[in-house]
Amino acid sequence: MSRQQWPLWEVFVRARRGLSHTHVGSLHAPDAELALRNARDLYTRRQEGVSIWVVPATAITASSPDEKDAFFDPAADKVYRHPTFYEVPEGVAHL
Amino acid sequence: MNPTYALALRHGDDALIAAQRLGEWVARAPELEEDVALANIALDQLGAARLLLSYAGELEGAGRDEDALAYLRDDREFRNCLLVELPNGDFAVTIAKLFFLAAYQRRFYERLCSSTDARLAAIGAKARKESAYHLDHAALWVLRLGDGTAESHRRMQAAVDEIWPYTHELFAADELTRQAEEQGLAVASHTFRPEWLAEVDAVLAEATLRRPDDNWAPGGGRDGLHTEHLSYLLAEMQVLHRAHPGARW
Amino acid sequence: MLPSCNTCPVYGNDFGIETPDDGGLLRQVEAAEEELRHAAGRGLGAPLADTDLQEYFDRVVGADQKIEPRDWMPEAYRRTLIRQIAQHAHSEIIGMQPEGNWISRAPSLKRKAILLAKVQDEAGHGLYLYAAAETLGISRDELVDLLLAGKQKYSSIFNYPTLTWADVGAIGWLVDGAAIVNQVPLCRCSYGPYARAMIRVCKEESFHQRQGYEILHTLSHGTEAQKAMAQDAINRWWYPSLAMFGPPDTDSTHSAKSMAWKIKRFSNDELRQRFVDMCVGQAEILGLTLPDPGLRFNEERQSYDFTQPDYDELMRVIAGEGPCNRQRIDHRRAAHAEGAWVREAAAAYAAKQHQRLEVAA
């Protein structure tokens, strides 16, 4: 029979500078310090230079995927915001 | 005896026996996340043990590698401190052992980085970061167990009382610590006991734990005179290897 | 350059033997990962105001897109996934026992380190999978309770004992091998969190299989006693490994719906055949004999004919009559019970800290 549950935390990891944090999974821990240590063990295998965020799952407010268009910036319409829209002329590097 | 060899053996044995005991927690830790954490720490200790024992074997020059040293010596030839060979007990006892040991190892490895022996210095550089992590982990648990529930406090206090006498051996001065200090190989541990004690006291106090008086100070491990526990530990650790002399695995 | 401590992988293929052909499994995992990224890029668009949710669900699954945690899904889909993911997670955790059995007696320090790392990985896999299951609206505590009460199962293979060191090798080669054959297709499963967890798991698991294979190769090329140890282990683990793929397709109850929902991508028999075909060549390199006199290459099918495992035995083991069922569950119950005071202490400390912060504020 289970007793007091260790709350759920969501884990976000930024593997390298320049990238942003991405969600990698979740874990259970009694507090933030242990959550961070556990996340380091579990999701990064203690690689150095990695930034970890742990967030109590209850602190996250989520939208639903079937929220209607008005809730979102309909970025699919504004296709000119996405880099693949533009054709890069031949010979242009690093763009 | 070559002091570099003796030093590598002593600290390699500390790490090896510590790893062996920690490995016993696999699949029985209080929570899955702790299974991962303790296995990680066991792996670190084992890694350091392998580096130190391999080096010791080379220095000895008698053709013994890390496995020959680990699997074919009897308990009278092991040079680990008594603390690491004590049984795991409950989680509180394991944490007490780890906390006192890691606080010692971290300081030892840190100072080892300045060793006149380049190989020992390199090992120190690698092991001290891992040690810092072990200490951090153990300290977090000392706090949670000491200042958690009435039961956890009772168990953690009992653990501190039980393990405390075995910490004195870590800082005993002997011929080897004197020679090592003289040759710049390693700092004698009694010189950093005050720093160790300050950190230990701070954590214990925050965890609402008392520390016992310093009277009984069991020792002998550094000379191969161990508790009755070590030969049982070695029997299990060595049995398969010894059953197939000369075999490769 | 110092040999590795723990911050670099301890794995290494340092015997110079031919690496067993894993049938390109790692490449398949990478392909699944690529596809996941591409699919995300294509995007199906949100359902319109009056879209039928079941129809939308079917469309997403049909287009090989992913169902994510807050999507509407049929209740049966949710239940099936919870059952399957939980069973998978429980298997990883229970699996730590037969393997962990040889950590203290590992015959070399290198093997001890590799085995410790492997068992640690398994705990990690269990955690990833419990996390995936929790996205479906159940808590890990509930799942653990179901396991300990015997109401949820784990892979029956772990109800066999590891009697020798060679068993560790056999588990790596055969059991992990079978698990990988099962798991790689799951990297394309329709439920996002499960697919992502499987990609992560599969990448780590390929090392495990290789290590098991190396253990056996060293044994089979070692002393007579070692070779006999290895052959004995294969003799005991071969048929139970075949049984891991479940009953024959004709007898399988859960399959049809799971296939339609793209939770299950291939049938039990298809996967079992794939596994056998992989193992035959690998066994030859090992110089060990698979304990099946009926094993022969069928030119027509371009596949091996083989003797089926005893499915009655499989059913008995699943029902609780394997050699180690009671031991495995008792061990888990004891560990959980003994750890209760620790978990409570941590929760109590967290509550105290929280109160102290509030008072201070």
Side-chain angles (χ1 to χ4, degrees):
Chain A
M1 151 77 163
S2 64
R3 298 290 189 79
Q4 276 172 300
Q5 191 181 339
W6 285 2
L8 187 66
W9 301 74
E10 299 294 342
V11 182
F12 301 81
V13 169
R14 185 189 66 206
R16 288 188 300 281
R17 293 190 181 286
L19 303 179
S20 46
H21 284 76
T22 51
H23 182 242
V24 291
S26 61
L27 51 78
H28 287 269
D31 58 64
E33 272 184 316
L34 276 183
L36 209 53
R37 268 62 166 188
N38 292 340
R40 183 172 55 183
D41 280 348
L42 189 59
Y43 288 107
T44 74
R45 303 305 173 119
R46 293 195 282 126
Q47 262 175 279
E48 291 187 13
V50 169
S51 170
I52 307 170
W53 290 349
V54 291
V55 183
T58 50
I60 296 180
T61 307
S63 67
S64 290
D66 45 359
E67 298 274 5
K68 299 303 164 261
D69 290 337
F71 189 80
F72 290 100
D73 180 358
D77 279 4
K78 297 190 174 61
V79 70
Y80 52 81
R81 284 206 182 141
H82 197 282
T84 58
F85 174 80
Y86 301 97
E87 278 170 45
V88 180
E90 290 265 277
V92 179
H94 311 304
L95 197 68
Chain B
M1 183 186 283
N2 177 346
T4 316
Y5 163 74
L7 210 59
L9 205 64
R10 172 180 290 192
H11 293 278
D13 284 348
D14 277 355
L16 177 64
I17 304 303
Q20 182 74 3
R21 281 299 188 211
L22 283 167
E24 291 171 12
W25 276 102
V26 164
R28 42 173 53 95
E31 191 51 274
L32 280 177
E33 284 83 359
E34 201 54 30
D35 260 307
V36 174
L38 291 178
N40 236 326
I41 297 174
L43 268 170
D44 285 347
Q45 294 279 1
L46 184 55
R50 293 181 64 196
L51 292 174
L52 289 163
L53 290 180
S54 292
Y55 189 34
E58 285 169 40
L59 290 168
E60 188 188 47
R64 293 206 278 189
D65 64 2
E66 64 186 24
D67 287 336
L69 288 169
Y71 291 94
L72 299 176
R73 281 183 297 156
D74 292 331
D75 66 307
R76 295 293 285 274
E77 297 167 77
F78 273 78
R79 296 289 179 263
N80 55 283
C81 59
L82 303 183
L83 183 145
V84 294
E85 72 198 41
L86 299 175
N88 281 327
D90 66 7
F91 189 67
V93 172
T94 290
I95 289 299
K97 289 173 62 187
L98 182 60
F99 176 56
F100 296 139
L101 179 73
Y104 159 78
Q105 283 178 324
R106 204 208 90 209
R107 290 176 167 80
F108 176 76
Y109 288 134
E110 230 164 45
R111 287 154 178 78
L112 200 62
C113 293
S114 333
S115 176
T116 49
D117 182 289
R119 185 89 161 259
L120 286 182
I123 294 174
K126 198 142 202 178
R128 69 159 169 187
K129 278 190 228 171
E130 293 169 350
S131 244
Y133 173 79
H134 305 166
L135 179 55
D136 174 67
H137 189 82
L140 288 182
W141 275 112
V142 171
L143 290 177
R144 280 148 185 75
L145 298 182
D147 194 16
T149 61
E151 178 175 9
S152 73
H153 178 89
R154 179 183 59 77
R155 287 180 184 248
M156 193 65 221
Q157 185 61 69
V160 168
D161 292 345
E162 180 185 328
I163 302 303
W164 187 254
Y166 294 92
T167 63
H168 305 303
E169 186 186 23
L170 300 173
F171 303 100
D174 60 13
E175 186 54 27
L176 179 59
T177 61
R178 193 193 58 73
Q179 273 187 308
E181 176 100 34
E182 220 170 62
Q183 298 181 26
L185 293 170
V187 166
S189 54
H190 64 85
T191 63
F192 58 76
R193 185 177 187 262
E195 196 193 293
W196 175 90
L197 193 58
E199 177 167 14
V200 162
D201 273 345
V203 174
L204 291 178
E206 194 185 335
T208 74
L209 296 163
R210 293 177 329 265
R211 105 172 124 77
D213 295 327
D214 296 343
N215 24 35
W216 184 46
R222 301 310 193 193
D223 299 315
L225 290 168
H226 291 275
T227 68
E228 290 174 355
H229 302 297
L230 185 63
S231 56
Y232 282 106
L233 181 155
L234 293 177
E236 189 173 321
M237 190 174 92
Q238 299 177 342
V239 63
L240 178 59
H241 182 102
R242 286 184 185 241
H244 299 262
R248 277 180 61 239
W249 301 95
Chain C
M1 158 93 168
L2 290 173
S4 43
C5 270
N6 186 37
T7 45
C8 338
V10 207
Y11 315 113
N13 192 356
D14 51 8
F15 291 105
I17 57 173
E18 304 162 51
T19 335
D21 175 24
D22 65 354
L25 289 172
L26 255 183
R27 266 179 283 119
Q28 287 176 43
V29 174
E30 277 155 20
E33 199 176 15
E34 250 319 290
E35 211 185 81
L36 203 140
R37 278 199 286 267
H38 273 274
R42 285 202 304 272
L44 207 60
L48 302 175
D50 53 0
T51 304
D52 174 60
L53 289 171
Q54 174 71 59
E55 191 268 324
Y56 181 71
F57 170 87
D58 290 337
R59 199 150 35 98
V60 169
V61 173
D64 275 324
Q65 300 276 327
K66 300 304 173 197
I67 302 296
E68 295 294 349
R70 288 176 63 84
D71 282 335
W72 180 90
M73 60 187 80
E75 195 47 37
Y77 176 85
R78 181 191 305 272
R79 274 197 317 267
T80 297
L81 271 174
I82 288 176
R83 183 186 55 77
Q84 183 168 326
I85 299 174
Q87 175 161 327
H88 200 159
H90 297 325
S91 300
E92 297 281 352
I93 301 314
I94 298 292
M96 292 168 68
Q97 289 181 42
E99 301 213 61
N101 189 31
W102 283 93
I103 289 172
S104 67
R105 292 173 292 174
S108 76
L109 296 187
K110 176 176 159 188
R111 288 293 171 206
K112 194 194 286 285
I114 292 174
L115 187 53
L116 255 170
K118 181 182 196 224
V119 178
Q120 183 195 349
D121 277 354
E122 268 144 37
H125 294 172
L127 286 170
Y128 299 151
L129 289 162
Y130 283 127
E134 287 189 284
T135 63
L136 289 159
I138 191 165
S139 75
R140 196 213 293 182
D141 272 6
E142 288 172 81
L143 293 175
V144 166
D145 284 350
L146 288 167
L147 170 68
L148 298 184
K151 293 188 182 146
Q152 267 182 350
K153 304 228 168 271
Y154 54 90
S155 181
S156 55
I157 193 71
F158 297 121
N159 291 313
Y160 293 90
T162 46
L163 298 177
T164 73
W165 172 252
D167 289 42
V168 173
I171 287 185
W173 177 43
L174 296 175
V175 174
D176 286 338
I180 290 172
V181 168
N182 237 327
Q183 282 164 194
V184 165
L186 289 173
C187 297
R188 290 169 188 271
C189 124
S190 58
Y191 189 58
Y194 193 21
R196 289 189 288 273
M198 289 320 309
I199 287 171
R200 191 185 281 273
V201 167
C202 282
K203 284 179 174 175
E204 292 177 359
E205 207 109 302
S206 65
F207 285 120
H208 297 177
Q209 197 202 10
R210 191 166 311 167
Q211 291 310 319
Y213 192 77
E214 277 180 4
I215 288 177
L216 289 173
H217 193 274
T218 311
L219 293 175
S220 64
H221 291 76
T223 67
E224 282 309 306
Q226 285 179 304
K227 181 159 187 178
M229 194 197 290
Q231 184 59 62
D232 167 71
I234 303 298
N235 293 346
R236 284 181 288 105
W237 287 91
W238 174 247
Y239 285 109
S241 300
L242 291 185
M244 277 178 75
F245 295 95
D249 293 347
T250 45
D251 295 350
S252 188
T253 48
H254 295 292
S255 288
K257 221 46 194 123
S258 292
M259 298 277 251
W261 284 327
K262 296 195 181 169
I263 296 174
K264 190 177 173 60
R265 309 292 294 222
F266 297 99
S267 77
N268 294 353
D269 289 339
E270 278 175 297
L271 293 174
R272 195 177 352 255
Q273 181 68 67
R274 193 179 291 187
F275 176 67
V276 173
D277 290 341
M278 254 171 57
C279 288
V280 173
Q282 292 172 355
E284 273 162 28
I285 294 173
L286 285 179
L288 296 170
T289 315
L290 294 174
D292 181 2
L295 200 57
R296 82 179 40 85
F297 191 69
N298 184 316
E299 285 296 340
E300 249 182 70
R301 300 190 304 114
Q302 282 294 296
S303 233
Y304 283 89
D305 291 336
F306 62 93
T307 310
Q308 294 285 339
D310 180 349
Y311 291 111
D312 288 335
E313 179 187 322
L314 173 64
M315 289 305 135
R316 282 195 306 274
V317 173
I318 289 175
E321 291 172 27
C324 297
N325 297 58
R326 296 179 199 200
Q327 176 191 333
R328 300 286 179 242
I329 283 293
D330 285 349
H331 180 114
R332 199 77 298 275
R333 282 190 191 129
H336 194 74
E338 278 156 28
W341 69 269
V342 176
R343 297 190 297 272
E344 281 159 25
Y349 179 83
K352 284 190 199 179
Q353 290 299 89
H354 189 73
Q355 272 184 324
R356 283 164 190 157
L357 281 174
E358 287 193 332
V359 166

